[in-house]
Amino acid sequence: MGEFKVHRVRFFNYVPSGIRCVAYNNQSNRLAVSRTDGTVEIYNLSANYFQEKFFPGHESRATEALCWAKGQRLFSAGLNGEIIEYDLQALDIKYSMDAFGGPIWSMAASPSGSQLLVGCEDGSVKLFQINPDKIQFERNFDRQKSRILSLSWHPSGTHIAAGSIDYISVFDIKSGSAVHKMLVDRQYMGVSKRKCIIWGVAFLSDGTVISVDSAGKVQFWDSATGTLVKTHLVANADVQSIAVSDQEDSFVVGTAEGTVFHFQLVSVTSNSSEKQWVRTKPFQHHTHDVRTVAHSPTALISGGTDTHLVIRPLMEKVEVKNYDAALRKITFPHRRLISCSKKRQLLLFQFSHHLDLWRLGSTVATGGKTSGKFLVPGKHGDTLPLSKDADHLLQLKTKVSKMPACLRSAVQIMFSEDSTKLFVASNQGSLHILRLLEGSFKHLHTFQAQSGTVESMCLLAVSPDGNWLAASGTSAGVHVYSVKRLKLHCTVPAYNFPVTALAIAPKTNNLVIAHSDQQIFEYSIPDKQYTEWSRAIQKQGFHHHWLQRDTPITHIGFHPKRPAHILLHDAYMFCIIDKSLPLPNDKTLLYNPLPPTNESDVIRRRTAHAFKISKKYKPLLFMDLLDEGTLVAVERPLDDIIAQLPPPIKKKKFGT
């Protein structure tokens, strides 16, 4: 790998927002996630759980409900009283509509996906028709005395269950009238509480309603008679969420103590056809409240205040025991939040509503530069003293005057290396080239969307010489444009998994592409074909440990003096690929430490392969070369994030 001086940066004060809602779509195998700041993320579970789409939040949107409807349409609602539909192609809000019931606490789409219910602060349940272009209000149901905190449709679409404070209502869809009202016991650990909040309900095909509440109970109700059938006390605090499998043989609940409980429908005896619900597995993967859960055919999904999205596979449902059977805990975005000015030694940090610009510190110990810690791996990680601390130069808030129209819908922007041009990817699939003038812009050209698509281009790469522009969307492949000739040059052959990072190498103009399944391709832009090295690695295949990594590559770089080197990283490793060395096979140790320096060159060469990997820096949000002998690494330790979260609920330990 060679020796590098490393700027070890830990002053990027990034804290993800807590997860408020998750919604699983069985048809597309995608998961929608909303956070407390109004951000919405879409994960493609079939593409190695990659976060393929992202909708920025807004301080006025506090999302309380999220659901999918027919035709892969996504809706959210929240405390501002509005229902929002998202444009999944343009990555924008399609429209918003006031439900006129005050804050919205719950929402559910009908089994057919053609109707939408919302539960409001004023006790109303409102029914909307989902039309091709927009939803349309249909009618109100009988108003209740308190806010509607949870909703669930019966699979037949004829009735709904609505959870409120102290009771559950069952409504007839045709009449809009409540046919049953089931009072919930306020008892909590033998003590009567002031009120009992029904945080979640699930309506099963046989008429059973399952409820979870603030008294720590999971209860089963007969909706035909309105009577309580069974109670499970599972927590010393609120049970806040519930999700049921499509087969209705399994469900999952999340608690304010950070525990997730799995219930399964099992036979009473081995020879009996009679079945009962049994709590089978508790999981403790969260430190704080589990605000929301989902149940896919093969996994239990949970999220909450600690910001982690946890995906725990059900081993009995996973056919192939590969990396799909591993627990996933997703904390950081699958996109870059950091940019670097190598010549100026500057770092730009991206937050939700502002940017921070920092200048790296320096040391005079060896004439190099550093920030925080200055490590020399060849000297066993010696830390050099700082002669000048890192400087926070600027905080830039989202307020820019005289903005060109094409920038108002920008999804991605990138400057040319000489800073004379700005490349802009719009949310309609078009790409704009602007010339940067003193205090103004000049529009030079627009590349229109290819093949009639309006899908946003989420990733851009510009060649160091400024002659080539590569752009990629979540499904439209990678297009390469000639900046000189102002036309499409070529399209990289389509691949089944989305692109997570791309970059164009200096001198060769080879385009390196990383995909969510951990495959890497190298494509010659001048020759319009894959390189010989890329063909060789595809023929042999990547090492199985490389393919089993569970975080995507988010950045690709190159060594200025070593054209055979490709630098890349994910959240938990940094890798230099030396194309001049042989590829590792499955019998080789992928994470092979370098042999001792006293070994002969023959032995060192014999044990070496192309992949040089370091796991020293993690979680790693950014890493790149500043010059041929200096790296900058930006880490965000999880303990630093947890320290800024509200304290979790205290739990009574056994025996105390």
Side-chain angles (χ1 to χ4, degrees), residues 564-580:
H565 286 193
I566 302 172
L567 291 73
L568 40 83
H569 74 82
D570 63 18
Y572 294 97
M573 69 91 204
F574 170 67
C575 177
I576 296 178
I577 300 177
D578 186 344
K579 296 188 293 180
S580 68

Side-chain angles (χ1 to χ4, degrees), residues 75-117:
F75 296 88
S76 74
L79 299 184
N80 64 356
E82 292 182 344
I83 303 169
I84 294 172
E85 181 173 4
Y86 296 88
D87 187 329
L88 300 183
Q89 295 297 313
L91 300 183
D92 202 358
I93 291 175
K94 189 174 180 181
Y95 62 86
S96 62
M97 176 184 292
D98 197 323
F100 295 103
I104 298 173
W105 292 95
S106 53
M107 179 171 58
S110 64
S112 66
S114 60
Q115 293 175 305
L116 192 69
L117 279 175

